[in-house]
Amino acid sequence: TTSRCIGERKTERILNTDICLVDVPVHGEADRANDLVDHAFEGGRQSREVLQVLWIKAAKYNISLGLFGRFRLSDGRMDLKKGGIMPIFSTARVLAIQYGVRALSTPARLLAVRDEETVNETAIDRLVEAHRILLGAILNQQLLDIQEGIPPSSLVNPKSMPATDRDQLKWALRQVDAVQGLLGDPISHH
């Protein structure tokens, strides 16, 4: 239940709370479903513990950029979903919960909190652009992979990119690395 989801003290349950907070009804009684989501959303916003755990989760990702700006590769590829998209997505979700933003897409969430007094506008703008670049890199790689008969995934081979695209990708990943600065100290929030 929604109340259990919000009230649960176990970290694993709290880590799943963000799912409760952004559900969208797709079948059945939309008004009733929306009431449940509203209840979960308000409970999540008001729970310091929930926000702290979600802040920590959002800041914990290992980005796909290593020492001296080198790509972190495994078998010649890097997972831009895990090391790029997910940190941005998680940050946008936490900010949306904290500021009461009901937008569903990552860029819309980020842009909706952009003008909040405590949010760094430049960092938000850069994350929105980084999100666009990362998605573009994944989609371009998927098109190349499909042509080669490779199942599409979020694994990207930077050597398959033009040098300018690799430079953009490095820039985007550096913005992801700045997520922790945008999130700040989760203990002092809320």
Side-chain angles (χ1 to χ4, degrees):
T1 68
T2 303
S3 295
R4 184 171 162 224
C5 192
I6 295 300
E8 182 65 53
R9 296 289 179 205
K10 293 182 181 168
T11 300
E12 309 85 51
R13 296 268 187 205
I14 291 173
L15 288 175
N16 291 323
T17 299
D18 57 349
I19 295 167
C20 297
L21 301 173
V22 292
D23 283 344
V24 178
V26 293
H27 180 71
E29 298 177 42
D31 288 343
R32 190 170 176 184
N34 283 327
D35 287 346
L36 286 172
V37 172
D38 289 344
H39 175 70
F41 195 85
E42 265 318 298
R45 270 188 84 200
Q46 294 174 14
S47 171
R48 181 181 175 145
E49 185 178 14
V50 167
L51 285 172
Q52 285 176 349
V53 171
L54 294 176
W55 279 101
I56 291 166
K57 178 187 174 196
K60 260 182 133 175
Y61 287 93
N62 290 323
I63 66 159
S64 295
L65 203 58
L67 204 56
F68 306 115
R70 293 189 180 126
F71 294 120
R72 287 187 181 157
L73 303 176
S74 177
D75 296 326
R77 292 192 177 221
M78 60 186 155
D79 190 338
L80 288 186
K81 181 179 176 186
K82 278 185 181 176
I85 294 294
M86 287 308 294
I88 297 173
F89 169 82
S90 294
T91 299
R93 185 174 270 189
V94 171
L95 289 171
I97 293 166
Q98 181 183 2
Y99 290 105
V101 171
R102 297 300 296 267
L104 295 177
S105 78
T106 295
R109 287 174 176 163
L110 290 170
L111 292 173
V113 302
R114 183 181 181 276
D115 294 328
E116 293 290 337
E117 189 176 308
T118 59
V119 175
N120 181 327
E121 290 180 27
T122 302
I124 293 291
D125 292 342
R126 288 178 178 172
L127 275 185
V128 170
E129 180 63 9
H131 186 261
R132 185 194 66 76
I133 290 168
L134 292 166
L135 281 179
I138 291 170
L139 292 173
N140 286 335
Q141 184 67 59
Q142 287 176 344
L143 290 173
L144 291 173
D145 287 348
I146 289 169
Q147 289 174 351
E148 297 293 321
I150 300 169
S153 70
S154 59
L155 301 175
V156 173
N157 175 0
K159 290 182 182 177
S160 70
M161 306 172 124
T164 55
D165 289 355
R166 279 194 307 270
D167 290 343
Q168 274 193 329
L169 184 56
K170 283 184 181 182
W171 178 87
L173 291 170
R174 281 193 293 273
Q175 306 322 302
V176 175
D177 199 27
V179 159
Q180 282 182 310
L182 181 63
L183 293 178
D185 178 9
I187 304 306
S188 67
H189 278 75
H190 200 67

